[in-house]
Amino acid sequence: MRGAKNGIKFRINKNFVNVDATVNAVVSADKKMDAELTLLIDPVPAARASADATEYSVKFSGEYDTTVGIDQIEQDSVDAPVEVYTVNGIKVNAAEMVPGLYIRRQGNNVSKILVK
């Protein structure tokens, strides 16, 4: 993203106020970014008697970084201990299960098991 992205505008109408927003941003070839967000907050005509429009401006500058991605994937489910629960969520000892339906959890993996 190099160059200027100027004049991105949107309007929010909420209850007794209109908000007009404008975003202007410039990214240089050396990945320096300057951006400005301007908000014009204007009461709708019914509420205008008590307030006038007010403009706010916020300026940002800094480094523009396009680096995105997944650094590494961890697989903890294989080595995680197995936990068994009843369908009511009560933890049970796997060696003492009676016939019925159970929920088995190992790390992030969850499955249903039927004991006959």
Side-chain angles (χ1 to χ4, degrees), residues 16 21 35 37-38 40 48 60 62 76 88 99 105 112-114:
F16 297 104
L37 170 65
T38 304
L40 178 64
R48 190 162 287 147
F60 305 91
D76 63 350
N88 294 329
R105 185 178 101 178
K112 295 178 209 162
I113 56 173
L114 179 62

Side-chain angles (χ1 to χ4, degrees), residues 2-57:
R2 288 194 182 115
K5 297 292 183 188
N6 291 318
I8 300 171
K9 297 182 179 196
F10 56 94
R11 171 171 268 216
I12 302 168
N13 296 356
K14 187 70 176 171
N15 296 334
F16 297 104
V17 69
N18 293 325
V19 178
D20 289 315
T22 304
V23 179
N24 294 304
V26 176
V27 179
S28 63
D30 61 349
K31 295 187 177 181
K32 300 289 183 192
M33 180 180 73
D34 291 306
E36 181 176 13
L37 170 65
T38 304
L39 299 174
L40 178 64
I41 301 174
D42 187 18
V44 295
R48 190 162 287 147
S50 62
D52 292 326
T54 305
E55 183 171 299
Y56 298 94
S57 181

Side-chain angles (χ1 to χ4, degrees), residues 80-102:
V82 174
E83 298 171 319
V84 180
Y85 298 89
T86 66
V87 291
N88 294 329
I90 300 170
K91 191 171 183 177
V92 296
N93 186 342
E96 299 173 0
M97 292 189 298
V98 296
L101 183 63
Y102 294 90

Side-chain angles (χ1 to χ4, degrees), residues 65-83:
D65 187 5
T66 59
T67 306
V68 295
I70 299 172
D71 189 34
Q72 93 183 59
I73 299 173
E74 295 180 18
Q75 185 176 7
D76 63 350
S77 296
V78 175
D79 298 326
V82 174
E83 298 171 319

